[in-house]
Amino acid sequence: MLAKANRIVRGDDFRRIVRTGRRAGCELAVVHRTEPEAAVARFGFIVSKKVGNAVIRNRVKRRLSEIVRAELGDIETSDIVIRALPAAGTADFATLSAGIAPLLVRR
């Protein structure tokens, strides 16, 4: 799990980042990035019901969180929301990591 300082939890922050941020994507997810409101990088995850049932959605969120935690040192300070696409529900951890990690460090 990410530290509390590195999490986005307010709905207003999610809307601001998704609407005004720059996007980068792959077949597994779309990464929305915008200027930070805090001194540290903050992350939020959007996993809709199209990804799968509750068990699969929570698994995807945990995997995304672990990928972000592993890459945290290489990511520039910004507010980032990762929106999982339906293909993320069937992808294994290695495939998900290979698809998401390059999008996180992209400038």
Side-chain angles (χ1 to χ4, degrees), residues 33-51:
R33 176 189 309 263
T34 189
E35 295 299 320
E37 283 192 352
V40 296
R42 298 186 316 154
F43 301 90
F45 306 103
I46 300 172
V47 184
S48 76
K49 288 185 178 180
K50 289 182 181 181
V51 173

Side-chain angles (χ1 to χ4, degrees), residues 34-77:
T34 189
E35 295 299 320
E37 283 192 352
V40 296
R42 298 186 316 154
F43 301 90
F45 306 103
I46 300 172
V47 184
S48 76
K49 288 185 178 180
K50 289 182 181 181
V51 173
N53 64 22
V55 173
I56 294 171
R57 290 193 312 269
N58 286 324
R59 181 182 304 139
V60 169
K61 282 187 251 185
R62 286 192 309 269
R63 287 178 175 177
L64 290 173
S65 180
E66 183 59 30
I67 292 166
V68 166
R69 200 172 65 76
E71 299 288 330
L72 199 54
D74 298 332
I75 300 171
E76 67 182 32
T77 303

Side-chain angles (χ1 to χ4, degrees), residues 8 10 16 20-22 25 27 44 46 48 51 54 71 74 76 81 100 104-106:
I8 298 170
R10 292 181 44 230
R16 176 183 59 83
T20 65
R22 292 186 350 218
E27 65 278 353
I46 300 172
S48 76
V51 173
E71 299 288 330
D74 298 332
E76 67 182 32
V81 171
I100 301 295
L104 294 174
V105 295
R106 183 179 290 176

